[in-house]
Amino acid sequence: MGDSEAPSIRPPETITITVVRARNLKGSSAKADAVNAMVKVEFGEKSLGESPKVDCTADTPAEFNYNATMSCTYDDPTALDEIAYKPVVLTVIEVLPKEKKQKEEKTVQLGQVSVDLLPLVKGETKHRYTLNINSLPGSPLETIQPDAPRPEIDVMLSVNEPLVDETLQSGNLMTVTVESMFSPPESWTVTGTQYAYAAALPVPVNSEKENPIVFANGALKPGVDKEPPNKQKKWAVPATAQGNAIYIADQFIAQDSIEDEDGDFRNKDDREHRTVSETEKNRVTWNTERRSYLETGAIKNLQDKIAKCRYWPLEVMRLPQPAAAKGKKDDDGAVSFHGVAFVNLAPLLYPGVRRIRGAYKVFSYTDQALYEKTKRKAGLGEEAARIANNILNRSTASPGPKKGGGGKDDKKEKDVKKGTSQTVKSDAGSEPEAQAPVNLEGQQYVDSKSYIMFEICLTRPLIPKRPPEELARRVAEYIPPRPLFPKRTDGAQRAVDDFHNQVASVAGLILDEFRDMFSDEIKTDENLSQEAMESRRQKLIYELNASGKYFAFKEQLKHSVVKIVREKYLKTTNFDDRQELQTFLSELYVYLIDQMHESLTKTLALEDQAPVPAPLTDSAQLKHFAREAEVNGNFDLATKYYQERIARNRNDPSHWFDYGTFCLYINDITKAEECFKECVAIDQKHLYGLLLYGVVCTLQEKHECAETFFEAATCVQPKSILAWTMLGLFYDTVQNEIGAEMAYIEANKLNQQAAVSAARSLRDEEINKQRSEQSESEASHKDDQGGLAPPTSNTLVPDIKPTPPSSERGQGSARSSEKLSSARRPSASKRSSAAHPDKDSRETSRLGRNKSDSNLSRPGSEYRRGSARATPQMEEASEEIPPREPTPVPTSSIYMQAIDWLLEVKAVPFTERALAHELLSPMGGLTAQYHISLARVKLQKNELKEAEDSLNEALQFDYQNPDVWALMGHVMYLVNDTSEARNCYERTIDFVADASEMHSVYLRLGSIYLRDERFSEAKTTFLMACKRSPSCVSWLGVGMACYRLGELPEAEDALSEANILNNSDPEVWGYLSLVCLKTGRKLEAEQAYKYAIKVNLEDTELLDEIIKTQQEVGFGNPQF
């Protein structure tokens, strides 16, 4: 077995660090220009060698050309890891000349450089650096003038073969950055006894094992000690690096807006706390980056643990200074103030996500809390403290100043022991009582609302995201795109048809020419002699030849004749025999003459036919008729209308989409799938078609196909709230919780952006309106005063707080709102119900805040500065009330927006799932809209009792909602409670606002009136339906009511309108027959009766009434 494994281990790879040259070095001797220098190369605790001593001057660089080597072994899984996170430290040393009787040379350390080996880990074989040499304390380099050239060193890294070969390509490089912990416990002070602060978290090294990584160089800093905007990252294990060499070259802390963060404290209510904590309170700063190379097994381990419990522990602790604790081995590594932040790593399992960063709340550490959140039985406290002490002991850069004096040491020792004993005692005391352990020191994190800034970045996402191109290709594989026009296939029949078309075209042009030449003679002469006709023919031929039209017609026919020769006779080469050519031409001539006559016969026959009239209904009307038939339960008629729309234009994707939604409603999944497939085939970017094809695939349990189409929809319209919500609902169906969470977060973000955009547009409209009103008032004021306006009272009052005119206030508000909306986007889950202050004070306060240094700065600091400048008290009092920025709130949640669309397209399973989310949503819950939507779902499922219960619940929330009463009327109508249905419909019509769907209300109320023989009300109701959206059914209702009222002319007009819209409705023909019978028109009554029978009149009462009337008048039935 060992023999089989041996070849799989790659031999060690040698890494060569070449120190090429150094420039601009300065020695310790002010007199000597030359510097005798050498370079010491170290990696971690291991020395890789020293270069020979080389002389250099200010103009001549030190050419070292020294090679140091180290090996990267592949039998140790941590070898690549160490190369990734440890620097190669180059120390530039000046060798002083020997003095008399001096045995050894004296040296002075000039500076250090930390060389990053990361490019080699990423697969490069050669990489060249030019780095600044960082001066060390007491070094002559510290005296170099700022405008003088900086000392530099050229370094080249090289390997023979890439460190990461094919077997390691599947690995991943994880970069962990711990920045700062803000708002630490108030008991921590920057004076007195100093401590070390460490953070630690576990990182998988293979499929089973985890190792802790520790950030040990945290330092407590006061709030007044401001950090630079571009904070440079430090090495987690700097080894022998000192001074500025502990920083990683060209690596800086990222600056993200709060809205783009992934952690806690992102709500608008938390902004004030974060602003105060980051500007005024103490903080613990690490700004340290730690890299870790993850092999395939470690990546799988990481994915499994994130999928299992989501949260990853980041432990925070305070430790005694190693230098101060020297000689007290019992207290080494004593952990106090043990806290833990639970980092939600679930976003790393979103497709395409490589990085998370945010502010994470620090909790008190207990084993029970750790297990509840992360399913880990023990933390890293003691082990992390031991590793941190080792790092601090090795490093010469101490996190804090060393304090002397035995008294303070004793106090520190006492504090540490006290803190530790508090935690242990509370934990031990709680075990017999079966209570949760209490960490009293750690609880101070919670009381102070401490949080830590933390970032994880991967070189490749754990879950790769399919690019839009691949999704489009996959969609095209499932549903190939259909060209708008069929491909032209050349063949014999195609060539002949083309010749027929060209002959018909030329014949039409010749006829037009003939009519233009002899139009006057054609009108006057009826019978012409043979000579006159011949004369006309000769004139026509002469005109065609003289004008050149004859040759144009010949050229027009030429191409089609060539196609016949090639496609029908298969002649593509020259004739060798002249006799054969003549024979072929004769045969071709005869054939072309025959085809010409055939084409002319068809053309002249078509000319004699009457033109086909244009349809009286358009696509929108047909859709309306289909929806009407659908509501009335006449599915056959609805199918006919939908199919007629498709027949008129098969290349319109909306026609196929609408027919597909109808098939989905009647549960014909197979036909619905075909319709949506046609829709997507015509338009591969049809958003609704992609979504509903995904829905159909989900119903058929073709989840892989469904995921492709839902993802394709989000790529077609990345800003679509509906697309992301539908993707989340699909992930809920397949129990992909992390994917659903990702989709819902994106949808909520877009929903909030839409709310902010709408609020900004409304604010701009208000500003423009104020400006116009102000300009009008100023113009009228000038006219009233005649240009001699008296001085205003403001000139007699001290200028405490000037108020700009409305136009200036509007501009300031617009700028402030734009800046605020771009800098911070309020949370979608927070809704403000407080009343807003008046416009003038709000605009003025916004203008004042817009002039501050930062739109996220805390107002308190500005007030104190204003008070220090002896600002009048009134201004301070007014400024102390922070201006309230109204939070834009979306009008509806993402789930309700999806529900409205899903109800329209009849996707019941997804609608029910979205309703469940709406019930639990912070913006949703048991609202009137929720109960209305639930009732609509129950109506689509024909569960009338449950629909009635939901509508009764909706009435408890909003008794004046017309949609509720309309739906209640439908429920009562379907259960044949016509009296209650009539009351509901009448109430719906009486409301000021209309229901969302009024057409069905009018039709059903009118039918109830007809049934109750209230014909006048029926006529009025049906006319209201005709006025809004006329249809065959609405005009039929008017005709029936008029007929019963004895208004026969009006009845005939209404029935004629109905017949125009649908000439195959048997009831229309039946009532037309009755009208004709009553008016004594025998032929028309008989024809109408025949058509009623032909289109299958099934209303027995109407049929009996027609027969009875026919018997009374004695005509109308051909059988008499």
Side-chain angles (χ1 to χ4, degrees):
M1 184 173 179
D3 295 340
S4 62
E5 290 182 354
S8 63
I9 299 177
R10 178 179 169 182
E13 186 68 32
T14 300
I15 301 174
T16 304
I17 301 103
T18 304
V19 182
V20 183
R21 67 182 61 85
R23 291 180 293 275
N24 306 322
L25 296 180
K26 181 179 180 181
S28 55
S29 175
K31 298 179 180 179
D33 294 335
V35 178
N36 188 252
M38 59 181 287
V39 176
K40 182 179 180 181
V41 184
E42 298 171 291
F43 180 73
E45 298 179 351
K46 181 181 178 183
S47 175
L48 303 181
E50 296 180 355
S51 72
K53 292 172 281 190
V54 177
D55 291 330
C56 65
T57 62
D59 299 329
T60 306
E63 298 287 346
F64 293 108
N65 293 319
Y66 172 70
N67 293 333
T69 59
M70 56 181 288
S71 295
C72 174
T73 58
Y74 292 90
D75 53 353
D76 183 4
T78 63
L80 274 175
D81 196 46
E82 289 185 357
I83 293 173
Y85 77 83
K86 286 184 179 180
V88 171
V89 180
L90 307 181
T91 306
V92 182
I93 303 172
E94 179 189 8
V95 180
L96 300 177
K98 282 186 179 182
E99 297 179 359
K100 293 181 180 179
K101 299 181 181 180
Q102 182 179 339
K103 294 183 179 179
E104 296 182 357
E105 296 176 332
K106 289 185 178 181
T107 59
V108 175
Q109 293 186 352
L110 298 179
Q112 283 185 332
V113 174
S114 56
V115 181
D116 195 352
L117 301 179
L118 185 62
L120 301 183
V121 180
K122 290 184 176 180
E124 296 186 27
T125 55
K126 285 187 179 182
H127 191 82
R128 182 180 293 273
Y129 283 110
T130 298
L131 302 171
N132 290 331
I133 300 175
N134 302 292
S135 61
L136 294 175
S139 167
L141 300 183
E142 289 184 327
T143 62
I144 297 178
Q145 297 299 322
D147 55 347
R150 308 305 300 173
E152 295 178 337
I153 190 168
D154 294 338
V155 184
M156 188 174 71
L157 308 175
S158 61
V159 290
N160 293 328
E161 297 292 335
L163 296 183
V164 181
D165 56 9
E166 291 78 6
T167 59
L168 300 174
Q169 285 287 349
S170 57
N172 210 330
L173 185 66
M174 181 172 70
T175 302
V176 181
T177 304
V178 176
E179 301 175 18
S180 297
M181 182 174 69
F182 295 99
S183 186
E186 296 181 358
S187 60
W188 293 5
T189 59
V190 295
T191 59
T193 306
Q194 296 300 298
Y195 297 91
Y197 302 90
L201 74 157
V203 171
V205 293
N206 52 38
S207 58
E208 298 177 356
K209 185 181 176 183
E210 289 181 340
N211 282 347
I213 60 175
V214 180
F215 301 83
N217 55 352
L220 182 65
K221 295 184 178 181
V224 295
D225 186 4
K226 305 298 181 184
E227 291 187 336
N230 293 328
K231 296 174 285 188
Q232 196 167 3
K233 294 182 180 180
K234 302 176 185 176
W235 290 101
V237 184
T240 59
Q242 303 177 44
N244 289 334
I246 65 173
Y247 292 99
I248 308 174
D250 300 327
Q251 294 293 325
F252 297 93
I253 300 293
Q255 298 295 330
D256 298 328
S257 62
I258 296 178
E259 294 80 11
D260 295 332
E261 292 180 357
D262 298 289
D264 309 316
F265 295 114
R266 290 186 297 165
N267 296 332
K268 189 172 183 179
D269 297 341
D270 301 321
R271 304 290 176 86
E272 182 73 12
H273 170 66
R274 289 191 62 170
T275 302
V276 174
S277 301
E278 294 173 15
T279 56
E280 299 181 8
K281 292 186 178 181
N282 295 343
R283 67 182 182 277
V284 178
T285 301
W286 285 273
N287 290 342
T288 301
E289 176 180 290
R290 170 64 154 82
R291 302 156 184 163
S292 181
Y293 181 81
L294 306 179
E295 61 177 19
T296 307
I299 295 173
K300 185 67 168 59
N301 187 3
L302 179 66
Q303 289 182 1
D304 293 343
K305 290 192 174 179
I306 294 175
K308 183 179 179 182
C309 60
R310 292 181 175 232
Y311 292 100
W312 206 266
L314 173 64
E315 299 182 32
V316 183
M317 61 202 75
R318 191 176 78 172
L319 304 172
Q321 286 283 3
K326 191 174 294 183
K328 302 180 178 64
K329 297 297 182 183
D330 295 339
D331 295 334
D332 271 356
V335 177
S336 60
F337 288 93
H338 196 179
V340 60
F342 298 106
V343 182
N344 184 6
L345 296 188
L348 289 180
L349 295 187
Y350 300 167
V353 174
R354 299 189 301 108
R355 174 178 175 266
I356 61 169
R357 179 181 180 270
Y360 295 92
K361 187 177 181 181
V362 181
F363 297 89
S364 172
Y365 174 86
T366 60
D367 288 342
Q368 180 178 351
L370 181 72
Y371 182 78
E372 289 177 355
K373 280 281 189 179
T374 66
K375 306 302 182 211
R376 298 172 184 269
K377 296 182 179 179
L380 304 173
E382 296 181 359
E383 185 179 3
R386 185 171 62 254
I387 296 174
N389 279 300
N390 291 336
I391 295 174
L392 295 173
N393 282 326
R394 290 197 305 265
S395 176
T396 57
S398 179
K402 300 177 182 178
K403 296 289 181 180
K408 292 192 175 182
D409 280 349
D410 294 341
K411 183 180 178 182
K412 170 193 160 182
E413 180 183 353
K414 196 178 298 182
D415 289 344
V416 173
K417 289 184 178 180
K418 180 180 178 182
T420 308
S421 64
Q422 280 184 345
T423 305
V424 173
K425 182 177 180 180
S426 60
D427 289 347
S430 62
E431 289 176 1
E433 299 174 1
Q435 295 179 355
V438 178
N439 181 351
L440 298 181
E441 289 181 333
Q443 186 63 30
Q444 296 186 35
Y445 290 117
V446 181
D447 298 339
S448 301
K449 296 178 69 175
S450 303
Y451 62 93
I452 186 169
M453 297 300 297
F454 178 76
E455 178 189 32
I456 288 183
C457 186
L458 302 168
T459 55
R460 289 194 300 273
L462 296 178
I463 307 297
K465 183 178 181 179
R466 291 186 286 186
E469 296 78 12
E470 181 184 350
L471 286 170
R473 180 180 56 80
R474 293 288 299 274
V475 169
E477 288 178 359
Y478 284 115
I479 304 176
R482 192 180 74 191
L484 293 179
F485 302 101
K487 294 181 180 180
R488 296 187 62 177
T489 54
D490 289 335
Q493 186 59 40
R494 181 72 182 182
V496 173
D497 293 340
D498 189 24
F499 178 73
H500 286 184
N501 294 333
Q502 297 300 328
V503 169
S505 175
V506 171
L509 294 173
I510 295 174
L511 283 174
D512 291 339
E513 188 70 22
F514 180 83
R515 288 167 183 153
D516 291 341
M517 291 178 63
F518 308 106
S519 57
D520 297 336
E521 299 178 11
I522 294 174
K523 293 178 182 178
T524 57
D525 297 339
E526 295 183 359
N527 297 321
L528 291 177
S529 62
Q530 191 69 24
E531 291 80 5
M533 293 178 62
E534 180 64 22
S535 175
R536 283 185 181 180
R537 188 180 72 84
Q538 291 179 359
K539 289 181 181 179
L540 176 63
I541 293 175
Y542 175 79
E543 178 63 26
L544 293 178
N545 279 285
S547 63
K549 294 180 180 179
Y550 170 78
F551 297 99
F553 295 155
K554 190 170 77 170
E555 288 296 323
Q556 184 175 345
L557 292 171
K558 182 178 179 180
H559 182 66
S560 58
V561 173
V562 170
K563 286 174 63 176
I564 288 178
V565 172
R566 291 179 177 176
E567 299 294 336
K568 183 170 181 62
Y569 291 96
L570 304 178
K571 301 294 184 181
T572 56
T573 59
N574 295 329
F575 287 90
D576 297 332
D577 189 358
R578 187 173 182 81
Q579 184 63 33
E580 184 181 355
L581 174 61
Q582 291 298 328
T583 304
F584 171 73
L585 291 177
S586 300
E587 182 182 352
L588 177 63
Y589 177 77
V590 172
Y591 178 78
L592 292 177
I593 292 297
D594 292 340
Q595 294 300 321
M596 181 189 70
H597 289 160
E598 184 178 341
S599 175
L600 290 175
T601 302
K602 293 179 181 178
T603 303
L604 295 176
L606 289 174
E607 289 287 336
D608 294 339
Q609 291 181 358
V612 178
L616 298 174
T617 54
D618 57 14
S619 177
Q621 285 179 301
L622 289 176
K623 181 179 178 180
H624 170 62
F625 299 161
R627 291 291 178 89
E628 181 185 73
E630 187 179 321
V631 171
N632 293 333
N634 193 346
F635 296 144
D636 292 337
L637 183 60
T639 302
K640 173 191 170 185
Y641 282 126
Y642 282 122
Q643 291 177 350
E644 185 174 347
R645 293 181 75 216
I646 295 174
R648 290 190 182 182
N649 188 359
R650 299 182 62 87
N651 292 325
D652 192 334
S654 64
H655 294 175
W656 291 101
F657 176 81
D658 293 333
Y659 187 31
T661 59
F662 169 71
C663 295
L664 201 61
Y665 175 56
I666 62 176
N667 206 27
D668 191 347
I669 305 298
T670 304
K671 191 172 290 186
E673 180 184 10
E674 291 299 322
C675 291
F676 297 135
K677 188 177 286 188
E678 286 290 331
C679 174
V680 177
I682 296 170
D683 183 2
Q684 296 270 297
K685 294 185 178 181
H686 194 279
L687 176 66
Y688 298 149
L690 291 170
L691 291 176
L692 278 193
Y693 191 79
V695 169
V696 169
C697 291
T698 305
L699 297 178
Q700 296 175 338
E701 297 185 354
K702 296 189 275 188
H703 297 313
E704 183 179 355
C705 177
E707 183 177 12
T708 299
F709 281 87
F710 283 123
E711 286 187 11
T714 60
C715 290
V716 167
Q717 291 192 20
K719 300 297 183 182
S720 171
I721 300 172
L722 176 63
W724 287 104
T725 308
M726 290 296 295
L727 179 62
L729 294 174
F730 164 74
Y731 281 139
D732 275 337
T733 305
V734 297
Q735 298 181 353
N736 184 351
E737 296 181 2
I738 293 177
E741 179 183 276
M742 175 269 298
Y744 293 146
I745 287 174
E746 186 66 26
N748 279 312
K749 187 183 297 184
L750 293 172
N751 197 23
Q752 185 62 39
Q753 289 176 1
V756 171
S757 177
R760 186 183 299 123
S761 301
L762 183 61
R763 192 180 302 120
D764 291 342
E765 291 179 3
E766 292 179 357
I767 292 170
N768 294 332
K769 185 178 179 181
Q770 290 176 5
R771 287 176 180 173
S772 60
E773 292 177 355
Q774 180 71 13
S775 61
E776 291 175 1
S777 63
E778 288 178 356
S780 62
H781 185 66
K782 281 184 179 180
D783 294 340
D784 294 341
Q785 299 296 332
L788 298 174
T792 60
S793 60
N794 289 340
T795 58
L796 304 177
V797 181
D799 189 10
I800 295 175
K801 187 173 182 180
T803 303
S806 298
S807 60
E808 294 179 9
R809 289 200 303 270
Q811 292 173 357
S813 172
R815 288 193 297 268
S816 176
S817 63
E818 288 173 4
K819 190 177 294 186
L820 282 168
S821 62
S822 62
R824 52 178 182 175
R825 183 172 62 251
S827 171
S829 62
K830 302 297 292 179
R831 286 184 287 181
S832 172
S833 58
H836 302 311
D838 60 277
K839 291 183 180 178
D840 288 345
S841 62
R842 181 172 70 236
E843 302 297 340
T844 306
S845 62
R846 287 185 191 167
L847 184 62
R849 181 173 54 177
N850 193 29
K851 295 178 181 178
S852 63
D853 295 337
S854 171
N855 55 351
L856 291 179
S857 62
R858 196 171 82 95
S861 59
E862 292 290 329
Y863 308 148
R864 282 195 295 275
R865 289 200 295 271
S867 178
R869 292 192 298 266
T871 309
Q873 189 175 0
M874 280 187 68
E875 181 177 357
E876 184 177 357
S878 64
E879 290 279 353
E880 284 179 356
I881 301 175
R884 182 175 181 81
E885 178 73 16
T887 304
V889 179
T891 55
S892 61
S893 69
I894 59 172
Y895 308 110
M896 187 53 68
Q897 295 180 45
I899 289 167
D900 292 340
W901 181 76
L902 289 167
L903 286 170
E904 289 295 322
V905 299
K906 319 298 189 305
V908 174
F910 273 72
T911 311
E912 293 175 331
R913 193 168 293 111
L915 281 168
H917 280 283
E918 174 68 14
L919 187 62
L920 302 176
S921 171
M923 293 183 61
L926 293 173
T927 61
Q929 190 60 35
Y930 168 81
H931 288 295
I932 292 172
S933 301
L934 182 60
R936 291 178 64 186
V937 173
K938 298 301 181 182
L939 274 174
Q940 289 184 5
K941 297 173 67 177
N942 204 27
E943 298 175 359
L944 303 180
K945 183 65 174 65
E946 291 82 354
E948 182 181 358
D949 295 341
S950 298
L951 292 172
N952 286 326
E953 291 291 335
L955 288 174
Q956 301 296 324
F957 289 91
D958 189 358
Y959 199 76
Q960 298 182 359
N961 193 320
D963 284 328
V964 181
W965 290 105
L967 291 172
M968 184 68 79
H970 294 331
V971 172
M972 296 303 163
Y973 183 86
L974 293 174
V975 298
N976 291 323
D977 189 350
T978 56
S979 175
E980 188 63 30
R982 184 184 68 245
N983 294 333
C984 294
Y985 288 144
E986 289 174 345
R987 185 189 293 264
T988 303
I989 295 175
D990 289 340
F991 282 119
V992 175
D994 288 337
S996 57
E997 173 55 49
M998 290 296 297
H999 188 71
S1000 57
V1001 173
Y1002 290 134
L1003 294 184
R1004 287 180 172 176
L1005 179 59
S1007 65
I1008 292 174
Y1009 284 147
L1010 286 177
R1011 195 178 306 172
D1012 295 344
E1013 298 185 357
R1014 298 169 59 177
F1015 302 122
S1016 180
E1017 290 92 336
K1019 176 184 175 182
T1020 303
T1021 305
F1022 280 118
L1023 282 174
M1024 292 171 66
C1026 293
K1027 184 177 180 180
R1028 291 177 64 95
S1029 47
S1031 66
C1032 173
V1033 177
S1034 61
W1035 281 115
L1036 173 61
V1038 175
M1040 293 169 63
C1042 292
Y1043 175 78
R1044 299 303 177 188
L1045 289 171
E1047 301 172 355
L1048 299 183
E1050 290 84 350
E1052 184 176 0
D1053 292 340
L1055 293 170
S1056 299
E1057 290 289 340
N1059 200 16
I1060 291 172
L1061 296 176
N1062 183 8
N1063 59 5
S1064 60
D1065 190 299
E1067 290 190 37
V1068 174
W1069 287 111
Y1071 275 98
L1072 277 173
S1073 177
L1074 283 174
V1075 170
C1076 294
L1077 289 172
K1078 292 288 186 180
T1079 55
R1081 291 179 287 176
K1082 178 178 179 182
L1083 179 61
E1084 293 165 339
E1086 186 175 321
Q1087 291 292 337
Y1089 176 71
K1090 286 181 180 179
Y1091 277 114
I1093 299 300
K1094 183 178 181 180
V1095 294
N1096 193 19
L1097 178 61
E1098 296 178 351
D1099 189 344
T1100 55
E1101 294 183 1
L1102 177 59
L1103 194 58
D1104 293 342
E1105 183 179 0
I1106 294 173
I1107 294 174
K1108 181 179 178 181
T1109 307
Q1110 288 173 345
Q1111 292 173 350
E1112 291 176 356
V1113 299
F1115 61 86
N1117 192 336
Q1119 297 177 355
F1120 288 170

